[in-house]
Protein backbone atom coordinates (compact mmCIF):
# COMPACT_ATOMS: atom_id res chain seq x y z
CA UNK A 1 0.00 0.00 0.00
CA UNK A 2 1.42 3.38 -1.00
CA UNK A 3 1.35 6.29 1.43
CA UNK A 4 2.57 9.84 0.96
CA UNK A 5 3.96 11.13 4.24
CA UNK A 6 4.04 14.85 5.05
CA UNK A 7 5.30 16.56 8.19
CA UNK A 8 5.14 20.08 9.60
CA UNK A 9 8.84 20.89 9.79
CA UNK A 10 8.30 23.68 12.33
CA UNK A 11 6.66 21.30 14.79
CA UNK A 12 9.13 18.49 14.17
CA UNK A 13 12.32 20.45 13.44
CA UNK A 14 14.76 17.57 13.90
CA UNK A 15 12.51 15.12 11.99
CA UNK A 16 12.88 12.51 14.73
CA UNK A 17 9.13 12.03 15.13
CA UNK A 18 8.67 11.91 11.36
CA UNK A 19 11.39 9.29 10.93
CA UNK A 20 9.97 7.22 13.78
CA UNK A 21 6.53 7.16 12.11
CA UNK A 22 8.00 6.44 8.66
CA UNK A 23 10.02 3.56 10.10
CA UNK A 24 6.87 2.16 11.72
CA UNK A 25 5.05 2.41 8.36
CA UNK A 26 7.85 0.58 6.54
CA UNK A 27 7.91 -2.12 9.24
CA UNK A 28 4.20 -2.63 8.55
CA UNK A 29 4.79 -3.12 4.81
CA UNK A 30 3.73 0.33 3.63
CA UNK A 31 5.53 1.82 0.64
CA UNK A 32 6.39 5.33 1.81
CA UNK A 33 6.83 8.40 -0.36
CA UNK A 34 7.87 11.90 0.76
CA UNK A 35 7.96 15.19 -1.12
CA UNK A 36 10.69 16.74 1.04
CA UNK A 37 14.33 15.74 0.83
CA UNK A 38 14.83 16.69 4.49
CA UNK A 39 13.30 13.50 5.87
CA UNK A 40 14.24 11.25 3.00
CA UNK A 41 16.23 8.17 4.07
CA UNK A 42 16.75 4.47 3.23
CA UNK A 43 13.65 2.67 1.88
CA UNK A 44 11.76 5.95 1.46
CA UNK A 45 10.96 7.14 -2.06
CA UNK A 46 11.09 10.75 -3.15
CA UNK A 47 7.77 11.61 -4.78
CA UNK A 48 7.56 12.32 -8.50
CA UNK A 49 4.48 13.80 -10.12
CA UNK A 50 3.80 10.59 -12.03
CA UNK A 51 3.66 8.70 -8.70
CA UNK A 52 0.75 10.69 -7.29
CA UNK A 53 -2.17 8.87 -9.01
CA UNK A 54 -1.02 5.56 -7.50
CA UNK A 55 -0.85 6.87 -3.91
CA UNK A 56 -3.51 5.25 -1.68
CA UNK A 57 -3.60 7.99 0.93
CA UNK A 58 -1.58 10.77 2.54
CA UNK A 59 -0.55 10.66 6.21
CA UNK A 60 0.04 14.17 7.55
CA UNK A 61 1.86 14.97 10.78
CA UNK A 62 0.91 18.38 12.14
CA UNK A 63 -2.16 20.44 12.94
CA UNK A 64 -5.18 21.56 10.97
CA UNK A 65 -3.13 24.19 9.16
CA UNK A 66 -0.72 21.54 7.90
CA UNK A 67 -3.59 19.42 6.59
CA UNK A 68 -5.19 22.40 4.84
CA UNK A 69 -1.90 23.46 3.27
CA UNK A 70 -1.38 19.93 1.98
CA UNK A 71 -4.95 19.71 0.64
CA UNK A 72 -4.47 22.97 -1.23
CA UNK A 73 -1.11 21.88 -2.67
CA UNK A 74 -2.52 18.58 -3.97
CA UNK A 75 -6.05 19.82 -4.71
CA UNK A 76 -6.05 18.40 -8.25
CA UNK A 77 -5.52 14.80 -7.10
CA UNK A 78 -8.30 14.16 -4.53
CA UNK A 79 -5.98 12.15 -2.29
CA UNK A 80 -7.60 10.69 0.84
CA UNK A 81 -6.02 12.42 3.85
CA UNK A 82 -5.35 11.24 7.40
CA UNK A 83 -3.88 13.50 10.07
CA UNK A 84 -1.77 12.75 13.13
CA UNK A 85 -2.27 15.73 15.39
CA UNK A 86 0.66 17.85 16.55
CA UNK A 87 -1.46 20.97 16.92
CA UNK A 88 -3.59 22.33 19.74
CA UNK A 89 -7.06 21.39 18.47
CA UNK A 90 -6.65 19.02 15.56
CA UNK A 91 -10.30 19.08 14.51
CA UNK A 92 -9.32 17.62 11.12
CA UNK A 93 -7.00 14.97 12.56
CA UNK A 94 -8.29 11.50 13.37
CA UNK A 95 -5.15 10.26 15.09
CA UNK A 96 -2.81 11.33 17.89
CA UNK A 97 0.83 10.45 18.43
CA UNK A 98 -0.26 8.34 21.38
CA UNK A 99 -2.59 6.07 19.37
CA UNK A 100 -1.69 6.07 15.66
CA UNK A 101 0.02 2.65 15.75
CA UNK A 102 -3.17 0.77 16.56
CA UNK A 103 -4.72 1.99 13.27
CA UNK A 104 -1.97 0.69 10.98
CA UNK A 105 -3.60 -2.73 10.48
CA UNK A 106 -6.92 -1.08 9.66
CA UNK A 107 -5.19 1.10 7.09
CA UNK A 108 -3.21 -1.77 5.60
CA UNK A 109 -6.36 -3.85 5.19
CA UNK A 110 -8.38 -0.84 3.94
CA UNK A 111 -10.80 -1.07 6.85
CA UNK A 112 -11.79 2.57 6.77
CA UNK A 113 -14.22 4.92 5.09
CA UNK A 114 -13.55 8.03 3.05
CA UNK A 115 -15.58 11.09 3.98
CA UNK A 116 -16.26 13.12 0.85
CA UNK A 117 -16.50 16.58 2.37
CA UNK A 118 -17.92 19.58 0.55
CA UNK A 119 -15.57 22.36 -0.55
CA UNK A 120 -16.32 25.83 -1.88
CA UNK A 121 -15.38 27.70 -5.02
CA UNK A 122 -15.06 31.46 -5.04
CA UNK A 123 -14.96 33.85 -7.98
CA UNK A 124 -14.34 37.59 -7.75
CA UNK A 125 -15.65 39.91 -10.44
CA UNK A 126 -14.74 43.55 -10.96
CA UNK A 127 -16.73 45.44 -13.61
CA UNK A 128 -18.05 42.04 -14.74
CA UNK A 129 -14.52 40.71 -15.31
CA UNK A 130 -13.20 37.68 -13.42
CA UNK A 131 -10.15 38.82 -11.45
CA UNK A 132 -9.71 36.03 -8.87
CA UNK A 133 -10.80 32.43 -8.41
CA UNK A 134 -10.06 30.10 -5.52
CA UNK A 135 -10.98 26.87 -3.75
CA UNK A 136 -11.72 26.73 -0.02
CA UNK A 137 -11.52 23.54 2.01
CA UNK A 138 -12.18 25.26 5.33
CA UNK A 139 -13.55 28.81 5.29
CA UNK A 140 -13.63 32.16 3.52
CA UNK A 141 -13.39 35.31 5.64
CA UNK A 142 -14.30 38.76 4.29
CA UNK A 143 -13.36 41.73 6.48
CA UNK A 144 -12.52 45.42 6.26
CA UNK A 145 -9.03 46.26 5.04
CA UNK A 146 -8.86 48.76 7.92
CA UNK A 147 -8.60 46.87 11.19
CA UNK A 148 -11.09 47.60 13.96
CA UNK A 149 -13.57 49.07 11.49
CA UNK A 150 -16.94 47.62 10.53
CA UNK A 151 -17.60 46.54 6.98
CA UNK A 152 -20.88 47.03 5.13
CA UNK A 153 -21.92 43.96 3.16
CA UNK A 154 -24.73 43.04 0.78
CA UNK A 155 -25.55 39.34 0.52
CA UNK A 156 -27.66 37.83 -2.27
CA UNK A 157 -28.73 34.19 -2.31
CA UNK A 158 -29.51 32.70 -5.72
CA UNK A 159 -29.61 36.27 -7.12
CA UNK A 160 -32.14 37.45 -4.53
CA UNK A 161 -31.23 39.93 -1.77
CA UNK A 162 -30.88 38.14 1.55
CA UNK A 163 -29.57 40.92 3.76
CA UNK A 164 -27.48 44.02 4.25
CA UNK A 165 -25.53 44.36 7.47
CA UNK A 166 -22.61 45.99 9.26
CA UNK A 167 -20.15 43.65 10.99
CA UNK A 168 -16.47 43.02 11.61
CA UNK A 169 -16.79 40.64 8.69
CA UNK A 170 -18.39 37.43 7.54
CA UNK A 171 -17.28 33.79 7.59
CA UNK A 172 -18.47 31.34 4.96
CA UNK A 173 -17.55 27.86 6.16
CA UNK A 174 -17.59 24.36 4.76
CA UNK A 175 -18.65 21.52 7.08
CA UNK A 176 -14.96 20.97 7.89
CA UNK A 177 -14.46 24.67 8.60
CA UNK A 178 -17.61 25.07 10.65
CA UNK A 179 -15.66 24.16 13.81
CA UNK A 180 -13.27 27.10 13.32
CA UNK A 181 -13.93 30.87 13.01
CA UNK A 182 -17.61 30.39 12.19
CA UNK A 183 -18.20 28.41 15.38
CA UNK A 184 -16.36 30.94 17.55
CA UNK A 185 -18.56 33.65 15.99
CA UNK A 186 -21.72 31.85 17.07
CA UNK A 187 -22.29 29.62 14.05
CA UNK A 188 -23.47 26.00 14.16
CA UNK A 189 -21.30 22.92 13.88
CA UNK A 190 -21.98 21.02 10.65
CA UNK A 191 -21.29 17.30 10.59
CA UNK A 192 -18.40 16.52 8.19
CA UNK A 193 -20.37 14.95 5.34
CA UNK A 194 -23.29 17.39 5.46
CA UNK A 195 -24.14 18.69 1.97
CA UNK A 196 -24.42 22.32 2.99
CA UNK A 197 -22.36 25.27 4.12
CA UNK A 198 -22.85 28.15 6.55
CA UNK A 199 -22.59 31.94 6.48
CA UNK A 200 -21.90 33.57 9.86
CA UNK A 201 -21.65 37.34 10.47
CA UNK A 202 -18.63 38.18 12.66
CA UNK A 203 -19.63 40.53 15.50
CA UNK A 204 -22.57 42.11 13.62
CA UNK A 205 -23.71 45.55 14.71
CA UNK A 206 -27.17 44.14 15.34
CA UNK A 207 -27.27 40.69 16.90
CA UNK A 208 -30.47 39.86 14.99
CA UNK A 209 -28.21 38.91 12.07
CA UNK A 210 -27.38 35.26 12.73
CA UNK A 211 -25.90 32.33 10.85
CA UNK A 212 -27.65 30.89 7.81
CA UNK A 213 -27.09 27.37 6.47
CA UNK A 214 -27.31 26.92 2.70
CA UNK A 215 -27.84 23.84 0.60
CA UNK A 216 -24.98 22.80 -1.66
CA UNK A 217 -27.04 23.81 -4.70
CA UNK A 218 -27.27 27.42 -3.47
CA UNK A 219 -24.88 30.16 -4.50
CA UNK A 220 -24.31 33.41 -2.67
CA UNK A 221 -23.06 36.75 -3.91
CA UNK A 222 -21.34 39.13 -1.51
CA UNK A 223 -20.32 42.70 -2.26
CA UNK A 224 -18.68 45.25 0.02
CA UNK A 225 -19.86 48.82 0.36
CA UNK A 226 -16.54 49.71 1.99
CA UNK A 227 -13.61 51.05 0.02
CA UNK A 228 -11.43 47.97 0.44
CA UNK A 229 -12.00 44.51 1.87
CA UNK A 230 -9.72 41.56 2.58
CA UNK A 231 -10.59 37.99 1.61
CA UNK A 232 -8.76 35.26 3.53
CA UNK A 233 -9.09 31.70 2.23
CA UNK A 234 -8.38 28.82 4.64
CA UNK A 235 -6.24 31.16 6.73
CA UNK A 236 -3.56 30.88 4.03
CA UNK A 237 -4.43 32.88 0.90
CA UNK A 238 -5.17 36.63 1.12
CA UNK A 239 -6.13 39.26 -1.40
CA UNK A 240 -7.87 42.63 -1.54
CA UNK A 241 -11.12 43.50 -3.26
CA UNK A 242 -12.51 46.96 -4.01
CA UNK A 243 -15.85 48.53 -3.32
CA UNK A 244 -18.65 46.96 -5.43
CA UNK A 245 -16.51 43.98 -6.51
CA UNK A 246 -18.70 40.86 -6.43
CA UNK A 247 -17.68 37.62 -4.72
CA UNK A 248 -19.69 34.59 -5.87
CA UNK A 249 -19.41 31.50 -3.67
CA UNK A 250 -20.81 28.08 -4.50
CA UNK A 251 -20.07 24.39 -4.16
CA UNK A 252 -16.78 23.37 -5.80
CA UNK A 253 -16.51 20.40 -8.14
CA UNK A 254 -14.05 18.58 -5.88
CA UNK A 255 -14.13 17.18 -2.35
CA UNK A 256 -11.92 17.16 0.70
CA UNK A 257 -11.44 13.41 1.13
CA UNK A 258 -10.72 12.46 4.74
CA UNK A 259 -10.14 8.96 6.06
CA UNK A 260 -12.45 7.95 8.91
CA UNK A 261 -12.79 4.83 11.03
CA UNK A 262 -16.00 3.18 12.17
CA UNK A 263 -15.81 3.97 15.87
CA UNK A 264 -18.37 5.02 18.48
CA UNK A 265 -18.53 8.63 19.69
CA UNK A 266 -16.84 9.93 16.53
CA UNK A 267 -19.89 11.76 15.17
CA UNK A 268 -19.23 14.91 17.20
CA UNK A 269 -15.46 14.56 17.31
CA UNK A 270 -14.78 18.05 15.90
CA UNK A 271 -16.79 19.90 18.55
CA UNK A 272 -15.37 17.68 21.29
CA UNK A 273 -11.81 18.52 20.23
CA UNK A 274 -12.59 22.23 20.03
CA UNK A 275 -14.20 22.18 23.48
CA UNK A 276 -11.36 20.22 25.06
CA UNK A 277 -8.67 22.40 23.48
CA UNK A 278 -9.26 25.10 26.10
CA UNK A 279 -7.54 22.82 28.61
CA UNK A 280 -4.38 22.53 26.52
CA UNK A 281 -1.51 24.91 26.97
Amino acid sequence: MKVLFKSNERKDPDYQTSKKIITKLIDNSFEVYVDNQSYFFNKVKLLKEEDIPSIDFALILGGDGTILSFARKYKNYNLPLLGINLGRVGALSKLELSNYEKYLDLLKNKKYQIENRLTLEGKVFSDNKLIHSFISFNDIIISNEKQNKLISLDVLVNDKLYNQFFADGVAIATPSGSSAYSLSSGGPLLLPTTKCYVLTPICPQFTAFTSVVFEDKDSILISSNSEKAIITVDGIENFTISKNDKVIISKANRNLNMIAFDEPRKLYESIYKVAMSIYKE
Side-chain angles (χ1 to χ4, degrees), residues 28-91:
N28 281 269
S29 303
F30 288 92
E31 191 174 342
V32 181
Y33 291 77
V34 297
D35 66 357
N36 187 324
Q37 187 76 40
S38 300
Y39 43 93
F40 173 76
F41 62 99
N42 191 33
K43 294 186 179 180
V44 177
K45 298 181 179 181
L46 199 58
L47 185 74
K48 299 176 182 177
E49 188 171 357
E50 58 264 30
D51 297 324
I52 300 176
S54 67
I55 298 294
D56 291 290
F57 68 94
L59 185 63
I60 303 164
L61 178 65
D64 289 349
T66 311
I67 293 174
L68 290 170
S69 294
F70 182 95
R72 293 172 64 81
K73 180 178 180 179
Y74 291 96
K75 62 185 178 183
N76 294 326
Y77 296 97
N78 289 320
L79 286 174
L81 312 181
L82 178 62
I84 300 177
N85 184 34
L86 280 186
R88 185 173 66 89
V89 180

Side-chain angles (χ1 to χ4, degrees), residues 9 22 24 26 73-74 80 103 113 125 132 135 142 153-154 168-169 171 181 186 193 196 203 207 238 243 250 271 279:
E9 291 82 8
I22 289 172
K24 186 65 67 174
I26 292 171
K73 180 178 180 179
Y74 291 96
Y103 291 93
Q113 299 83 42
F125 293 87
H132 291 289
I135 296 291
I142 303 176
L153 296 170
D154 293 343
D168 281 356
Y181 204 168
T193 55
C196 57
C203 296
T207 56
N238 297 278
K243 182 178 181 180
S250 59
I271 187 62
Y279 300 108

Side-chain angles (χ1 to χ4, degrees), residues 58-279:
L59 185 63
I60 303 164
L61 178 65
D64 289 349
T66 311
I67 293 174
L68 290 170
S69 294
F70 182 95
R72 293 172 64 81
K73 180 178 180 179
Y74 291 96
K75 62 185 178 183
N76 294 326
Y77 296 97
N78 289 320
L79 286 174
L81 312 181
L82 178 62
I84 300 177
N85 184 34
L86 280 186
R88 185 173 66 89
V89 180
L92 290 174
S93 301
K94 293 293 182 182
L95 309 182
E96 302 286 338
L97 272 178
S98 60
N99 69 4
Y100 79 91
E101 291 184 42
K102 74 177 186 179
Y103 291 93
L104 294 181
D105 278 341
L106 294 176
L107 289 166
K108 187 163 56 176
N109 295 302
K110 296 189 176 182
K111 293 183 178 180
Y112 56 81
Q113 299 83 42
I114 297 177
E115 296 176 344
N116 302 125
R117 301 187 183 191
L118 177 144
T119 65
L120 294 171
E121 175 185 62
K123 294 181 179 180
V124 182
F125 293 87
S126 181
D127 294 326
N128 296 318
K129 293 181 179 180
L130 178 66
I131 59 172
H132 291 289
S133 61
F134 55 86
I135 296 291
S136 172
F137 295 94
N138 203 59
D139 57 22
I140 302 159
I141 310 299
I142 303 176
S143 57
N144 201 313
E145 184 185 48
K146 298 178 181 178
Q147 293 184 352
N148 303 317
K149 188 172 182 180
L150 295 177
I151 189 171
S152 172
L153 296 170
D154 293 343
V155 180
L156 287 81
V157 181
N158 301 327
D159 298 323
K160 295 180 181 178
L161 182 65
Y162 153 64
N163 224 324
Q164 297 174 308
F165 57 86
F166 284 89
D168 281 356
V170 65
I172 304 96
T174 67
S176 298
S178 67
S179 62
Y181 204 168
S182 176
L183 182 68
S184 65
S185 300
L189 181 75
L190 304 179
L191 296 179
T193 55
T194 305
K195 303 305 179 186
C196 57
Y197 59 101
V198 59
L199 180 150
T200 302
I202 301 169
C203 296
Q205 186 176 31
F206 300 106
T207 56
F209 297 133
T210 59
S211 298
V212 178
V213 176
F214 300 102
E215 295 183 78
D216 62 358
K217 65 182 180 181
D218 292 328
S219 67
I220 59 177
L221 185 154
I222 301 175
S223 59
S224 168
N225 298 310
S226 303
E227 284 302 316
K228 296 283 186 180
I230 298 292
I231 297 181
T232 303
V233 185
D234 294 343
I236 299 170
E237 180 182 0
N238 297 278
F239 52 87
T240 303
I241 60 172
S242 300
K243 182 178 181 180
N244 298 324
D245 285 353
K246 294 177 172 57
V247 185
I248 298 177
I249 298 169
S250 59
K251 175 187 173 182
N253 61 358
R254 66 194 70 193
N255 295 316
L256 175 63
N257 296 320
M258 302 296 296
I259 287 179
F261 301 96
D262 187 15
E263 296 180 286
R265 301 185 300 278
K266 291 294 184 179
L267 189 60
Y268 297 98
E269 184 177 38
S270 295
I271 187 62
Y272 174 78
K273 284 190 172 186
V274 170
M276 293 304 293
S277 71
I278 63 174
Y279 300 108

